[in-house]
Amino acid sequence: GWHTGTLGILVFFIGLAVLALTAVREAGWDLFSVIPESLVTIALGALATIFVLIRVIDIPDRFLPADGRGIGIWISLVAALAVIVAGLLQAAEEL
């Protein structure tokens, strides 16, 4: 997905941010005292889902000779939705 334009790169960095947030939480550090971590996780997942859905719906002309939508875009969509679900489960634990 790295060569799929700006949206692919943004989704990649959102994924890195989710991994970094998870690593920081597992290390025991508290980064967000005002905003719950679950809300940040849900927001990152929602942003990634929107970006992936934009790419699913609209393939730029420079990528059209490809064989349509490959398996990678669908894996990205499922992963982005899974981040939202993980944030919701984390919010349920915090209550």
Side-chain angles (χ1 to χ4, degrees):
W2 191 256
H3 299 288
T4 59
T6 305
L7 287 178
I9 295 170
L10 288 174
V11 170
F12 173 76
F13 284 118
I14 290 171
L16 282 181
V18 169
L19 289 175
L21 181 64
T22 303
V24 166
R25 184 180 67 238
E26 291 299 318
W29 297 342
D30 187 24
L31 288 180
F32 305 107
S33 60
V34 177
I35 303 171
E37 290 181 22
S38 59
L39 184 62
V40 175
T41 304
I42 292 169
L44 288 172
L47 190 61
T49 301
I50 290 168
F51 288 161
V52 172
L53 283 175
I54 289 171
R55 184 58 70 215
V56 166
I57 293 169
D58 182 35
I59 298 175
D61 292 336
R62 64 179 182 209
F63 302 123
L64 276 181
D67 296 332
R69 292 158 188 88
I71 188 72
I73 193 76
W74 302 114
I75 292 172
S76 297
L77 182 61
V78 169
L81 291 171
V83 170
I84 295 173
V85 170
L88 292 172
L89 291 174
Q90 185 181 7
E93 286 179 7
E94 290 174 355
L95 294 177

